[in-house]
Structures are given as structure tokens and as C-alpha cells.
Amino acid sequence: FAFKSPHSDTVFGVCFSADNTKLASCGADKFVKTWEVPSGKFLKAFEGHTHHVLDVGWFPDGKQLASAGADNNVKIWDFEKGEQVRTVNAHQKQVTRLLFIGKSGNFITTSGDQNVKMWNSGGNNMRSFAGGTDFVYAVSASGDGKIVVTGGEEGIIRMFNGDQGGQPSKILYPPGEEPPAKEEPKKK
């Protein structure tokens, strides 16, 4: 199938609904747009971000969407009503990525403010994952949210314990760039 002119500018994100009958897209034109699959028929557009929309995702039930904006906000949209449900003041800089965790309705956001946050389906911050020193662009999580993995400008991958306060569990460095091992104090 082919879509006709989805956005008037750069497309930053696309996501299928859980049942694969709808596709959402977002872009530099500040819109979230939805499409029927496989026909490619345009369904609805959602407007409300004041800057580029960098990512989009469907809630597991397919009734709502969430979008991540360069305006530092996450917006929750009611698909059937075609309207905004709420705005989450998510980060101090652009929200670069948004990922739903399994079938829970909880989601994770990454940002240019070096932070990664986990939100519940109501848009309340459940947990933050610290340690980044630059823009964070990538995130993945196990289906149960117990392992969260992030990456960004630093060129390293950080692994976190997702269900115990967001504590870091491991840092993966590029091959050959691992920091030197700490020496054990010598016994006298």
C-alpha cells in the first residue's frame, strides 16, 4: 500500500497499532496523523504541539496515542474523539523518543535534557533513569519493564533495573573504549 503525502515535511516517527489496522505518523509539520492499514486511507490528524513531533506510539488498547515533541511535552490523544486528552510537561528539552512497555500502557521517554523517564498511562512520572551526560535518543525495554536500555550522543549504552528505582546495572562501551579497571587497594 502507498500513502499520499503523509506530512508536508520530515517524518520523524511511525507506529502500528497493536492490532496492525492503523498506522500513526508524526513529523516536522507539528502533526500526528493516522492511517488505515492496508488501504492507506487517511483517518485523522491531531494538532497541538508547538514544535516538531519526534515520535508517536499507540496505547496497547488502540484507543489513545501518545506523541513526543520538540516542545518538551508528551501529548495524549483520544483516537475516537480526535482530540487531546492531556499534556505532560515531560522534560526540560525536546522529547526525542517514546516507547510503550509491553501491554501495560506505561511508557518511557528520552530527551535532550539527558534524562529518561517512565510514565504511567495517566501521564504521571513513575521513575527516572539518571546518568546520561548528553542527548538521549534511543530506548528499549523488556516487555515487563524490568530492564530498560538507553543510548545517545555519548556513544554508550546504559542498562537500568526498571523496577527498582531505575538504578543503573551496566554500561556498555564501544569496543576498546572501556574505562580502566579500578585497582584494589594493596594489603600491607
Side-chain angles (χ1 to χ4, degrees), residues 143-170:
D144 58 8
K146 290 184 178 184
I147 302 170
V148 174
V149 181
T150 66
E153 284 287 317
E154 299 172 293
I156 61 174
I157 295 171
R158 294 180 191 279
M159 297 179 78
F160 296 91
N161 185 326
D163 64 352
Q164 292 183 1
Q167 296 303 311
S169 60
K170 187 177 273 309

Side-chain angles (χ1 to χ4, degrees), residues 12 26 49 51-56 66-75 88-99 107-113 115-117 119 135-137 139:
F12 289 114
C26 62
H49 282 283
H51 209 300
H52 300 348
V53 184
L54 300 174
D55 207 359
V56 63
S67 57
D71 57 7
N72 311 345
N73 296 313
V74 170
K75 300 224 180 243
V88 179
N89 298 313
H91 290 274
Q92 298 301 309
K93 289 189 177 179
Q94 56 267 56
V95 184
T96 55
R97 182 85 168 93
L98 180 144
L99 173 76
F107 58 94
I108 299 173
T109 57
T110 65
S111 175
D113 67 8
N115 292 298
V116 177
K117 296 180 180 182
W119 308 87
F135 275 65
V136 184
Y137 293 112
V139 65

Side-chain angles (χ1 to χ4, degrees), residues 3-14 23-35 42 44-46 53 56:
F3 296 106
K4 297 176 186 169
S5 186
H7 291 269
S8 60
D9 207 336
T10 305
V11 175
F12 289 114
V14 293
L23 180 76
S25 61
C26 62
D29 61 2
K30 305 176 193 172
F31 280 90
V32 170
K33 296 181 180 175
T34 58
W35 314 88
F42 172 75
K44 296 179 183 178
F46 300 87
V53 184
V56 63

